Amino acid sequence: MPLTSPFSFLDIAKQLGPQIDVALDARTAPDAGCPTRLREAMRYSLLAPGKRFRPMLALLAAEACGGSIEAAMPAACAVEMVHAYSLIHDDLPAMDDDDLRRGRPTCHKAFDEATAILAGDALLTLAFEVLAKEVRPADVAAACCSALAHAAGSCNMVGGQADDMAAEGKLRAAQGDGCAAENRALLAALESIHGRKTGAMIQVSLRLGALTAQASAEQLAWLDSFGRRIGLTFQITDDLLDVRSSEAATGKRVGKDVEQGKLTFPGLIGLDQSTQYAQQLTREAHQDLHGFGSRGGRLWALASYVLERNR
Ligand code: GRG
């Protein structure tokens, strides 16, 4: 594996982003059975200008395993649908209560709370319909449904969100005034929450793409380790952006973690150590790709992007 990749995230995004958008658009086209306002709310959030990071992971994992972008596209759409649902629900007043997402008013602001809840529900269920109907052969479709359900469900994304909300007050009280052992325990708690809340969806995006390429058990294990590391890096950079970036650059409210007294990587270990930790994880993630040779080149560039991203 080269020490650098000849690919840039910008070029990858320019090529794959529009293909992903066309595929998402087609799968949410007007349908006689779906109420117009519900369809509009689903499309408003799903087709909003996000980074399409998870679908790109699915497509490039398939590529790394010798599969095709075309065969992996239904899986790429499914992970973005689940992601869009999670953002809609996370923005609701009962959760993070946010007004701005992807540079636009959040779904419940643009529509109303009930419509936003239903749009999230509909995107979640549509993801599984797409996988079941479009992934071939059928045993791979079943494996994809099972993996996505586990990653998005009560033991991972939803569970991580529940623990994050439950822990907020307690972790906040402990932050900053603990001894080294307490800080290590807090760091482990933080990593556990984010591993489930954010990391599991990143890992499963890779897994789904790999499954559509009939990946070997060894390749799945490499991608799992790669996904764990870039998932953690993604969360650290998210925390850093909340401190360092702007609303204009990220398309969402910043400075919110400090305002809400949330436990974060910079809050716990400082800005410099958080940056160093993210750099170390990225180096290790790059090593995880060694076995894929040059076919892993575009995935390599995505890992670098996670570290360097500014939105
Ligand atoms: C409500 C069930 C439920 C789960 C919510 C994913 C999640 C769980 C909450 C999102 C909260 C959040 C902002 C977490 C930080 C990491 C993250 C998922 C950021 C958003 O993902 P990006 O940056 O967004 O890939 P875009 O818009 O580019 O797709």
Side-chain angles (χ1 to χ4, degrees):
M1 192 65 212
L3 284 176
T4 57
S5 165
F7 301 102
S8 81
F9 174 77
L10 223 60
D11 290 341
I12 296 169
K14 262 192 214 149
Q15 196 209 345
L16 295 182
Q19 289 182 41
I20 294 164
D21 286 350
V22 166
L24 291 171
D25 180 67
R27 285 162 179 85
T28 50
D31 176 329
C34 180
T36 306
R37 188 171 165 79
L38 175 62
R39 176 78 52 188
E40 279 171 3
M42 290 163 71
R43 287 170 59 84
Y44 174 83
S45 291
L46 181 68
L47 302 176
K51 293 183 284 297
R52 309 288 183 248
F53 175 59
R54 292 153 194 82
M56 283 190 227
L57 287 175
L59 299 179
L60 297 183
E63 179 174 270
C65 297
S68 78
I69 297 287
E70 196 190 349
M73 193 56 90
C77 289
V79 294
E80 187 66 10
M81 286 168 184
V82 173
H83 173 58
Y85 127 75
S86 79
L87 297 180
I88 295 173
H89 282 199
D90 187 63
D91 290 335
L92 288 167
M95 298 223 189
D96 229 18
D97 195 9
D98 264 315
D99 296 352
L100 190 68
R101 170 71 64 186
R102 293 176 161 179
R104 299 176 175 182
T106 46
C107 192
H108 66 277
K109 288 284 170 188
F111 293 83
D112 56 80
E113 251 179 84
T115 305
I117 292 169
L118 293 172
D121 294 340
L123 285 168
L124 174 62
T125 42
L126 180 60
F128 290 95
E129 186 178 343
V130 167
L131 287 178
K133 274 189 181 160
E134 297 185 39
V135 173
R136 288 288 169 270
D139 64 327
V140 175
C144 285
C145 286
S146 167
L148 184 58
H150 187 66
S154 56
C155 295
N156 283 297
M157 186 177 76
V158 172
Q161 174 83 346
D163 275 353
D164 195 18
M165 295 180 74
E168 204 175 294
K170 292 178 217 149
L171 293 179
R172 186 191 312 170
Q175 183 163 355
D177 53 3
C179 64
E182 280 168 5
N183 276 358
R184 272 197 301 279
L186 282 174
L187 191 60
L190 190 61
E191 289 192 11
S192 162
I193 286 173
H194 291 308
R196 287 173 287 144
K197 181 179 154 180
T198 312
M201 278 301 295
I202 288 177
Q203 281 181 294
V204 84
S205 301
L206 293 156
R207 173 167 284 262
L208 260 51
L211 287 171
T212 67
Q214 310 277 353
S216 67
E218 191 179 37
Q219 288 174 324
L220 289 172
W222 293 336
L223 289 173
D224 219 44
S225 174
F226 173 77
R228 192 191 67 74
R229 287 174 166 135
I230 65 164
L232 196 49
T233 306
F234 191 92
Q235 187 58 50
I236 298 170
T237 52
D238 215 70
D239 287 355
L240 289 170
L241 286 173
D242 192 67
V243 179
R244 289 175 172 159
S245 193
S246 64
E247 209 167 270
T250 59
K252 61 183 181 185
R253 194 152 55 95
V254 292
K256 178 175 88 178
D257 295 340
V258 175
E259 192 186 297
Q260 295 175 346
K262 270 196 152 184
L263 184 71
T264 63
F265 287 93
L268 192 60
I269 60 177
L271 286 169
D272 288 348
Q273 235 186 295
S274 298
T275 306
Q276 283 163 24
Y277 188 24
Q279 288 166 342
Q280 178 203 327
L281 285 163
T282 305
R283 280 193 296 275
E284 291 167 358
H286 282 153
Q287 283 161 17
D288 287 327
L289 297 179
H290 188 83
F292 293 107
S294 59
R295 280 203 309 230
R298 295 212 285 179
L299 214 43
W300 202 101
L302 238 59
S304 301
Y305 164 75
V306 173
L307 180 68
E308 292 153 11
R309 74 196 177 104
N310 59 9
R311 76 176 187 114

